[in-house]
Amino acid sequence: MKFRFSILSLFCAFLFGFGSLLAQETSVMVRALAKDAKFIGSSIGGAKIIIRNAETGEILDQGVTSGSTGNTKLILQTPKARYDKLTDENTAGFEAKLNIEEPTFIGVEAHAPINKKQAKVISSTQLWVIPGKDITGDGVVLEVPGFVVDILSPQTHERIKASEEVSLKANIVMMCGCPVTEDGIWDANQYEVKAIISSEEKESREITLKPTEKPSTFAAETNLEKGYYAITIYAFDPVTGNTGVDKTNIIIN
């Protein structure tokens, strides 16, 4: 009887130990890369990363990318060969720690830029993760398309006299925060920036905003009759398809 008990104990211990070997902390590096630009990191507040079990929806880990936007020359100006890295030790990312016991199919989401609600988009993918098999280096890179557009003028619910010119001004940057300048890496002359001005009567017109001397700033002026107006300013890149929008409302009296 004692012999049987000992065999059973050893068998249970073996099973317990085997299970413990399977349960391992597994690292997954996740990065958010702005389309036609650089990595989304600390300078613009980062990208929120959420990793879920794709089958159950359980959140396995989450956090915010931090670090630099990366090396401009390496990311944008150097021809890439197979297996060439886009990142270095300072490049923004979030290293997730997953405690998994078996191969797990996960969903990875990047909500970016996390602090710019009017510009924030969700980029996602799915993949298998194996216990103990870390995904490092560049890791999982999610592309985030668009522009961040902030209307600087007119201000929300601003009252402007009909006799005065309405100043239209917007700040436009890449999703990583990289500046837009004339003849720069991100050429302001390449982008179409317009204001759509709509009245209560649903009449609307478009006005083109031009680059100014200040980086990332586009401006125009117009006159409006008395009434309530909604103003939408958008940026569009016909080469990459990047787009961005911001909206405000004003009163002309």
Side-chain angles (χ1 to χ4, degrees):
M1 184 70 178
K2 184 180 293 185
F3 177 76
R4 288 182 178 179
F5 179 77
S6 298
I7 293 295
L8 181 61
S9 298
L10 286 171
F11 180 69
C12 291
F14 171 77
L15 288 179
F16 179 79
F18 185 69
S20 298
L21 287 174
L22 287 178
Q24 299 180 60
E25 184 178 81
T26 306
S27 296
V28 179
M29 173 59 71
V30 183
R31 306 183 196 271
L33 177 64
K35 184 175 181 179
D36 190 40
K38 299 167 67 179
F39 289 92
I40 299 171
S42 302
S43 62
I44 200 166
K48 183 174 183 179
I49 305 299
I50 302 175
I51 298 182
R52 307 176 192 270
N53 182 313
E55 296 179 342
T56 67
E58 176 192 0
I59 294 178
L60 302 177
D61 201 0
Q62 59 183 317
V64 177
T65 61
S66 61
S68 76
T69 56
N71 185 310
T72 302
K73 184 176 181 180
L74 178 64
I75 297 169
L76 296 169
Q77 300 169 320
T78 304
K80 301 296 184 299
R82 188 179 183 185
Y83 305 129
D84 280 355
K85 290 182 64 176
L86 288 176
T87 65
D88 57 32
E89 64 277 7
N90 298 315
T91 305
F94 169 68
E95 186 177 7
K97 302 290 187 181
L98 310 182
N99 187 23
I100 53 177
E101 299 179 351
E102 60 183 1
T104 304
F105 193 51
I106 64 170
V108 183
E109 303 170 8
H111 300 239
I114 188 62
N115 289 337
K116 288 295 181 181
K117 297 187 185 303
Q118 83 280 13
K120 183 172 64 178
V121 300
I122 300 174
S123 181
S124 65
T125 192
Q126 294 178 316
L127 67 149
W128 283 97
V129 178
I130 312 301
K133 304 299 182 183
D134 296 337
I135 299 175
T136 58
D138 286 353
V140 178
V141 179
L142 297 173
E143 185 179 72
V144 179
F147 291 106
V148 179
V149 178
D150 288 303
I151 294 178
L152 304 177
S153 177
Q155 297 175 348
T156 299
H157 212 266
E158 183 175 356
R159 291 178 179 270
I160 302 170
K161 293 180 180 179
S163 59
E164 298 177 353
E165 284 192 323
V166 178
S167 173
L168 303 169
K169 187 179 294 185
N171 184 75
I172 297 169
V173 298
M174 308 305 291
M175 295 292 263
C176 54
C178 297
V180 172
T181 58
E182 291 188 279
D183 301 317
I185 296 175
W186 298 278
D187 188 356
N189 296 311
Q190 179 174 304
Y191 308 139
E192 179 182 317
V193 180
K194 291 187 177 182
I196 303 172
I197 302 177
S198 304
S199 67
E200 273 193 308
E201 290 73 27
K202 305 303 180 183
E203 296 179 355
S204 64
R205 57 173 163 149
E206 286 191 355
I207 296 173
T208 299
L209 278 69
K210 298 293 187 181
T212 68
E213 292 183 0
K214 187 174 182 179
S216 303
T217 306
F218 293 73
E221 292 184 340
T222 190
N223 290 98
L224 296 171
E225 297 179 355
K226 292 182 180 180
Y228 299 104
Y229 292 88
I231 298 176
T232 300
I233 295 182
Y234 72 82
F236 173 67
D237 181 356
V239 176
T240 66
N242 272 331
T243 56
V245 170
D246 196 12
K247 299 181 178 183
T248 193
N249 293 80
I250 63 169
I251 303 163
I252 304 296
N253 52 25

